[in-house]
């Protein structure tokens, strides 16, 4: 089983296209948490919409006002923000 490539492209902070997605953990209009083949990725923003999701190909497209992208290193415990 060959690992899918992990790439992301952010267009004008309005559209995120990502490959290598393996699971969407959480999704709402302000936050998308997903697992990729290189660790957990958190997408923060406003009015986020999941426009495309194919776990067969590992492709994910999120549109909205994207304000942040954060990777969590594999094996680290999840932190919190105040």
């Amino acid at each position: 089983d060959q690992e899918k490539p992990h790439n992301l492209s952010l267009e004008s902070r309005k559209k995120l296209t990502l490959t290598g997605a393996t699971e969407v953990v959480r999704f709402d209009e302000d936050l998308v948490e997903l697992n990729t083949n290189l660790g957990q990725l958190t997408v923060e923003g406003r009015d986020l919409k999941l426009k495309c999701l194919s776990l067969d190909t590992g492709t994910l497209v999120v549109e909205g006002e994207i304000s942040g992208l954060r990777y969590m290193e594999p094996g680290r415990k999840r932190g919190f923000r105040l």
Side-chain angles (χ1 to χ4, degrees), residues 9-17 43-44 46-49 51 61-67:
S9 170
L10 182 60
E11 299 172 37
S12 301
R13 294 180 56 184
K14 301 268 185 222
K15 180 179 180 182
L16 174 69
T17 303
V43 181
E44 298 174 330
R46 290 183 13 189
D47 300 322
L48 300 178
K49 295 171 183 61
K51 289 297 193 178
V61 176
V62 177
E63 291 183 357
E65 294 178 34
I66 298 168
S67 60

Side-chain angles (χ1 to χ4, degrees), residues 35-78:
N35 291 325
T36 74
N37 50 17
L38 293 180
Q40 185 177 38
L41 175 63
T42 301
V43 181
E44 298 174 330
R46 290 183 13 189
D47 300 322
L48 300 178
K49 295 171 183 61
L50 206 55
K51 289 297 193 178
C52 174
L53 172 63
S54 173
L55 295 180
D56 290 336
T57 63
T59 303
L60 175 85
V61 176
V62 177
E63 291 183 357
E65 294 178 34
I66 298 168
S67 60
L69 301 169
R70 182 178 59 227
Y71 282 95
M72 185 71 91
E73 292 182 33
R76 288 190 64 181
K77 290 189 177 181
R78 183 186 174 117

